[in-house]
Amino acid sequence: MIDNEKKKDWAAVALLLLLVVQFFSPLLFGNQTLFFRDISGLLYPHYHFLFQSMHDGVYPFWNPAVFNGAPFLAALCPGIFYPPLLILLLDDFTLAYNLFNVFHYAFFTISVYALSRHFGVSIGASLCSAVTALFSEFFLSSI
């Protein structure tokens, strides 16, 4: 049987996930996407090319659209062996790209909570730490 402390931890994680979904609801439910700064010139085109390659069944060693051809498999930017990129196998690129970004925030927020709990911090203080991390300007401006 799960003890009372574990139930509270699971409830806190559920609350954090609800906050992430609420905060990113325009991305998840509004058919909008992130498209500014490095995203528009660097990330979005790489992930879109990877999305197209995955759906065409082609292993993207080379990207012919960058500088009249550039290595794609060896490039650090898309990191095509990164497991969460399997989200790009979804049929809709905008949804897949948004889920990819929101996944990282959910993972980050829950990780901050788990790390705080690991260090013996109370549930309330761990929740405050995770919410502060979720809404911190530094991490929000990084996407």
Side-chain angles (χ1 to χ4, degrees), residues 31-103:
N31 201 24
Q32 297 178 10
T33 192
L34 301 170
F35 201 78
F36 59 95
R37 290 179 39 186
D38 287 345
I39 291 174
S40 61
L42 183 65
L43 299 176
Y44 196 89
H46 281 297
Y47 289 130
H48 192 267
F49 176 72
L50 181 60
F51 172 83
Q52 288 178 327
S53 298
M54 291 169 80
H55 284 272
D56 292 342
V58 177
Y59 203 69
F61 290 107
W62 190 261
N63 186 348
V66 176
F67 300 121
N68 291 325
F72 191 75
L73 181 68
L76 294 176
C77 177
I80 53 180
F81 294 115
Y82 183 49
L85 281 175
L86 291 174
I87 294 172
L88 294 179
L89 289 173
L90 294 173
D91 287 335
D92 180 22
F93 175 71
T94 302
L95 175 64
Y97 183 72
N98 290 341
L99 284 175
F100 179 74
N101 285 310
V102 172
F103 163 78

Side-chain angles (χ1 to χ4, degrees), residues 91-134:
D91 287 335
D92 180 22
F93 175 71
T94 302
L95 175 64
Y97 183 72
N98 290 341
L99 284 175
F100 179 74
N101 285 310
V102 172
F103 163 78
H104 287 91
Y105 270 90
F107 186 77
F108 168 64
T109 304
I110 292 168
S111 296
V112 168
Y113 177 81
L115 183 65
S116 297
R117 291 295 290 150
H118 175 74
F119 287 146
V121 178
S122 70
I123 292 174
S126 297
L127 266 173
C128 287
S129 298
V131 170
T132 301
L134 171 65

